[in-house]
């Protein structure tokens, strides 16, 4: 058998002069979990926004960086060094800060050196969770619409992704539907609250349903809580892990990118019982291995900010949410509620559109405002996925939101 790296096959993925590259590629057997899927909707829509000089309310990222104090701390740390491999599990500073944060906000007693893991963003954390916990042939349930990376990551682990559809307009978890999807191969349920893209926060009834089902079927619950501090009005974020008997079967993911508006820092944190965190660490050490020590320590510092930071952060986002919601309603859209996250969804049928992908493309090209289609948050097997919703991101300067609404109304109401 020929070694895959022998000179006949080496480097054929690189474009080479005189070689018909498309033919060479079509004979390769790339992993279809990735190669058969389109590029992620977020960079795709951001590229389209740049191409058409559109205001990008598609991909979720703030247009102003988080606190200068954190960036200064990071910069000084980088200059002072060391900038060598940090511990695989994360620096002791941030691990202690994550444990203290769990106590402060949720009353959880977390052992920093056994029950935390620092990852290169929640995205890598989720990949490490699925690769570390799932066996080939297992099944993992997630509620659709769902954050895009879950399905390919679960499938790359050799497991089957099982979507359980939530239904408009309430998008609530339905116990019977969930139970009907569980088989003897089910290992994991993935939940996301506050929810991207729906903007919903799971209520106590849904959390108790999840807890009861996880216990009854002996499942692990992967809790994507990256928007834990982006919760509005009277809504309250409650980690499933805090419910009775849940700690040992939950793994919770947070993201400094969301909490401190520093998505480019790539710092995520995982909390859970030691056996699960250790299994996840075993995958993480072969994926990201580690991340910048000075940047981790800057986030450790940020995690110690007083309540004032969170109050201001929430007030700023609430103002932006209300502004965008009013702007969209004034134009004539039916707008979904946003209890948490920085996303608002509109029903594009308000203007006679039926296809969210075509709508988002047209708004980018013609109105010069970018949104993302909600159908991208469904599994390719969900052929009946709704196509009437588009998501707008509101963590942008108020004047940017105003200009976007001006452009949309100019185009749609002309
Ligand atoms: N989960 C959800 C629900 C998200 O919206 C995102 C997007 N930012 C992530 C995970 C990934 O977060 P990170 O940027 O920390 O990788
Ligand atoms: N989570 C962001 C969103 O939903 C995007 C993050 C990314 O592009 N990876 O828009």
């Amino acid at each position: 058998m020929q070694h895959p790296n022998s000179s006949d096959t080496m480097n054929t993925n690189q474009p080479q002069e005189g070689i018909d590259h498309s033919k060479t590629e079509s004979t390769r057997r790339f992993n279809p979990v990735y190669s058969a899927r389109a590029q992620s909707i977020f960079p795709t829509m951001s590229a389209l926004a740049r191409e058409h000089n559109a205001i990008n309310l598609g991909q979720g990222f703030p247009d102003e960086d988080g606190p200068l104090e954190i960036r200064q701390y990071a910069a000084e740390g980088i200059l002072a060094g060391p900038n060598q491999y940090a511990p695989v599990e994360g620096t002791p500073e941030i691990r202690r800060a994550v444990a203290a944060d769990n106590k402060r906000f949720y009353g959880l007693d977390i052992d920093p050196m056994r029950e935390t893991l620092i990852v290169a963003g929640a995205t890598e954390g989720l990949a490490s969770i699925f690769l570390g916990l799932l066996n080939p042939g297992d099944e993992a349930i997630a509620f659709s619409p769902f954050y895009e990376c879950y399905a390919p990551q679960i499938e790359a682990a050799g497991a089957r992704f099982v979507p359980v559809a939530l239904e408009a307009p309430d998008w609530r978890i339905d116990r019977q539907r969930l139970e009907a999807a569980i088989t003897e191969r089910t290992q994991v349920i993935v939940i996301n609250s506050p929810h991207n893209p729906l903007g919903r926060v799971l209520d106590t009834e849904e959390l108790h349903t999840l807890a009861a089902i996880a216990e009854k079927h002996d499942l692990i619950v992967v809790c994507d809580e990256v928007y834990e501090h982006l919760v509005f009005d009277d809504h309250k974020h409650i980690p499933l892990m805090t419910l009775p008997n849940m700690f040992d079967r939950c793994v919770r993911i947070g993201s400094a990118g969301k909490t401190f508006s520093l998505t480019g820092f790539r710092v995520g944190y995982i909390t859970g019982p030691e056996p699960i965190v250790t299994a996840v660490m075993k995958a993480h050490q072969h994926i990201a291995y580690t991340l910048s020590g000075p940047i981790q320590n800057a986030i450790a510092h940020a995690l110690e900010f007083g309540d004032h930071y969170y109050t201001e952060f929430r007030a700023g986002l609430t103002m932006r949410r209300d502004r965008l919601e009013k702007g969209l309603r004034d134009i004539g859209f039916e707008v979904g509620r946003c209890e948490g996250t920085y996303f608002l969804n509109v029903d594009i049928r308000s203007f006679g559109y039926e296809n969210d992908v075509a709508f988002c493309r047209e708004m980018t090209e013609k109105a010069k405002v970018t949104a993302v289609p909600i159908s991208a948050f469904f599994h390719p097997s969900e052929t009946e996925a709704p196509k009437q919703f588009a998501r707008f991101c509101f963590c942008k300067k108020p004047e940017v939101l105003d200009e976007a609404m001006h452009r949309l109304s100019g185009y749609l109401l002309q």
Side-chain angles (χ1 to χ4, degrees):
M1 203 176 90
Q2 195 172 39
H3 191 275
N5 280 342
S6 73
S7 57
D8 272 10
T9 52
M10 223 165 70
N11 288 334
T12 45
N13 293 338
Q14 305 294 323
Q16 288 172 23
E17 264 180 47
I19 292 181
D20 180 344
H21 186 58
S22 59
K23 268 194 201 144
T24 323
E25 257 194 5
S26 68
T27 60
R28 300 260 157 247
R29 288 172 54 244
F30 295 134
N31 185 343
V33 165
Y34 299 110
S35 66
R37 282 183 157 88
Q39 191 197 19
S40 161
I41 192 66
F42 307 115
T44 301
M45 293 313 293
S46 287
L48 199 67
R50 279 193 300 275
E51 186 187 333
H52 294 278
N53 212 7
I55 295 177
N56 189 356
L57 305 187
Q59 188 176 27
F61 63 91
D63 63 356
E64 290 178 292
D65 279 356
L68 181 65
E69 186 180 331
I70 309 176
R71 291 179 276 139
Q72 234 151 13
Y73 199 102
E76 282 161 20
I78 286 170
L79 289 176
N83 290 283
Q84 306 307 325
Y85 296 125
V88 165
E89 300 86 349
T91 66
E93 288 84 346
I94 190 170
R95 299 182 80 197
R96 282 197 289 267
V98 166
D101 187 75
N102 273 281
K103 180 75 181 170
R104 169 183 173 187
F105 287 104
Y106 309 118
L108 286 163
D109 287 306
I110 300 295
D111 181 334
M113 296 305 138
R114 294 171 198 273
E115 296 173 330
T116 70
L117 175 70
I118 310 306
V119 287
T123 309
E124 187 265 314
L126 286 157
S128 295
I129 285 173
F130 296 131
L131 287 165
L133 302 185
L134 291 169
N135 291 276
D138 283 352
E139 293 178 1
I141 291 176
F143 298 96
S144 57
F146 57 87
Y147 185 61
E148 205 192 18
C149 69
Y150 304 161
Q153 289 177 346
I154 286 166
E155 289 169 6
R160 195 162 88 83
F161 180 86
V162 180
V164 172
L166 302 173
E167 279 194 4
D170 295 336
W171 307 105
R172 289 177 56 77
I173 289 176
D174 178 82
R175 183 180 181 133
Q176 279 175 347
R177 263 189 186 211
L178 174 56
E179 283 218 281
I182 293 171
T183 73
E184 57 193 21
R185 290 175 173 269
T186 309
Q187 280 282 6
V188 154
I189 302 180
V190 189
I191 62 169
N192 172 216
S193 183
H195 188 279
N196 178 9
L198 298 174
R200 274 208 65 225
V201 176
L202 290 177
D203 62 29
T204 43
E205 190 189 331
E206 289 168 297
L207 289 169
H208 279 104
T209 297
L210 284 162
I213 288 180
E215 227 181 336
K216 179 173 162 195
H217 298 276
D218 192 19
L219 305 175
I220 292 173
V221 189
V222 175
C223 306
D224 180 343
E225 303 180 21
V226 298
Y227 299 101
E228 60 190 322
H229 294 295
L230 287 72
V231 179
F232 312 120
D233 310 320
D234 294 333
H235 296 283
K236 201 170 156 16
H237 172 66
I238 302 170
L240 184 65
M241 181 179 274
T242 61
L243 268 61
N245 305 326
M246 279 298 111
F247 183 76
D248 285 342
R249 58 177 71 255
C250 285
V251 54
R252 187 173 108 69
I253 309 128
S255 171
K258 313 294 176 196
T259 299
F260 301 109
S261 299
L262 292 164
T263 58
F265 266 37
R266 313 306 301 132
V267 179
Y269 14 89
I270 286 177
T271 311
E274 186 179 7
I276 292 183
V277 169
T278 302
V280 176
M281 182 275 290
K282 298 249 178 107
H284 163 76
Q285 68 182 343
H286 295 307
I287 302 173
Y289 184 64
T290 182
L291 53 145
S292 159
I295 288 187
Q296 292 184 59
N297 288 346
I299 296 302
H301 175 70
L303 286 167
E304 284 160 12
F305 282 172
D307 292 346
H308 181 67
Y309 170 74
Y310 294 91
T311 312
E312 289 263 294
F313 181 49
R314 213 164 289 160
L317 281 170
T318 304
M319 179 268 285
R320 287 164 172 76
R321 177 200 62 172
D322 295 347
R323 201 170 185 119
L324 184 65
E325 184 175 343
K326 180 174 183 317
L328 291 166
R329 280 195 203 286
D330 285 351
I331 294 171
F333 281 111
E334 193 181 304
V335 188
R337 287 171 61 213
C338 173
E339 302 168 345
T341 74
Y342 33 53
F343 305 116
L344 279 166
N345 297 299
V346 300
D347 191 325
I348 61 173
R349 291 173 304 182
S350 304
F351 286 93
Y353 289 88
E354 300 280 340
N355 182 306
D356 57 351
V357 174
F359 171 84
C360 291
R361 179 168 276 279
E362 184 178 322
M363 291 310 114
T364 303
E365 292 175 357
K366 304 274 174 52
K368 309 287 181 199
V369 178
T370 301
V372 291
I374 296 298
S375 59
F377 294 75
F378 287 79
H379 192 263
S381 65
E382 295 180 280
T383 49
E384 301 298 305
K387 293 189 169 45
Q388 71 264 31
F389 300 110
R391 189 197 80 177
F392 289 87
C393 175
F394 57 78
C395 55
K396 309 289 174 181
K397 293 186 200 85
E399 60 271 27
V400 172
L401 299 176
D402 292 348
E403 173 59 19
M405 293 307 96
H406 177 68
R407 291 185 187 186
L408 273 186
S409 65
Y411 181 71
L412 289 167
L413 304 177
Q414 65 196 343

